[in-house]
């Protein structure tokens, strides 16, 4: 049985915004299994210089990510959308095990299947070291 993740394409401004909020909420849960359920079983990712295929690799990647990126907190903003694609800009803050804080900035391109699952995710991300006082995303 195929699972659906509303809203489904084709997207409108309202439904694209709903997809962005749902993704932001899932990622802020820091639960790799929950996040992976929003992607097709054979989803294709590029995250910085890492290339992933499928939910199992997504879970493994996110588990390792959130073991090093502590107190991760994310904000996403809808940038553009079409029938079955969405582009977002985002920033997230986190600190490492030594207490150094970072703000990571990036852009993502998403492509969805007819069931509302993301089949492609391409992310470009840059990190900026910040002080704890420069943080602007509350935990």
């Amino acid at each position: 049985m195929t699972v659906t993740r509303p809203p489904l394409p084709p997207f409108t401004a309202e439904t694209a915004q709903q997809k962005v909020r749902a993704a932001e909420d899932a990622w802020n849960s820091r639960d790799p299994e929950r996040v992976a359920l929003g992607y097709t079983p054979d989803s294709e990712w590029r995250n910085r210089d890492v290339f992933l295929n499928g939910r199992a690799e997504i879970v493994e990647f996110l588990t390792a990510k959130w073991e090093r990126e502590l107190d991760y907190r994310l904000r996403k903003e809808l940038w553009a959308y079409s029938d079955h694609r969405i582009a977002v800009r985002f920033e997230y803050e986190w600190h490492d095990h030594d207490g150094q804080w970072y703000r990571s900035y990036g852009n993502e391109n998403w492509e969805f299947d007819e069931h509302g699952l993301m089949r492609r995710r391409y992310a470009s991300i840059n990190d900026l070291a910040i002080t704890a006082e420069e943080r602007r995303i509350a935990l």
Side-chain angles (χ1 to χ4, degrees), residues 8-56:
L8 307 178
F11 296 115
T12 65
E14 180 181 351
T15 59
Q17 187 65 269
Q18 290 171 1
K19 269 300 193 201
V20 172
R21 289 288 71 79
E24 181 181 271
D25 291 345
W27 279 70
N28 279 328
S29 76
R30 297 188 298 261
D31 178 346
E33 296 285 344
R34 176 181 170 191
V35 172
L37 290 176
Y39 299 87
T40 61
D42 61 347
S43 185
E44 176 184 306
W45 275 31
R46 182 183 60 77
N47 194 89
R48 300 176 193 246
D49 61 348
V50 177
F51 295 83
L52 307 170
N53 289 289
R55 287 182 180 159

Side-chain angles (χ1 to χ4, degrees), residues 25-130:
D25 291 345
W27 279 70
N28 279 328
S29 76
R30 297 188 298 261
D31 178 346
E33 296 285 344
R34 176 181 170 191
V35 172
L37 290 176
Y39 299 87
T40 61
D42 61 347
S43 185
E44 176 184 306
W45 275 31
R46 182 183 60 77
N47 194 89
R48 300 176 193 246
D49 61 348
V50 177
F51 295 83
L52 307 170
N53 289 289
R55 287 182 180 159
E57 289 184 17
I58 291 168
V59 169
E60 181 180 351
F61 173 84
L62 292 175
T63 299
K65 172 185 180 64
W66 290 322
E67 286 174 359
R68 28 170 224 287
E69 294 182 4
L70 307 175
D71 292 324
Y72 174 99
R73 192 72 178 150
L74 166 75
R75 285 190 190 150
K76 289 186 183 286
E77 176 188 354
L78 176 63
W79 194 257
Y81 68 93
S82 68
D83 290 339
H84 66 287
R85 291 182 173 157
I86 296 176
V88 298
R89 67 153 299 282
F90 63 87
E91 60 183 55
Y92 62 90
E93 294 176 344
W94 56 280
H95 66 87
D96 61 19
H97 286 280
D98 294 327
Q100 173 61 59
W101 280 93
Y102 296 88
R103 185 174 306 117
S104 300
Y105 297 95
N107 300 295
E108 292 176 324
N109 296 315
W110 302 342
E111 183 179 274
F112 293 86
D113 72 5
E114 66 276 11
H115 305 288
L117 296 172
M118 197 182 303
R119 68 174 148 219
R120 290 191 181 97
R121 174 188 174 267
Y122 303 120
S124 298
I125 307 167
N126 299 299
D127 302 316
L128 174 67
I130 61 172

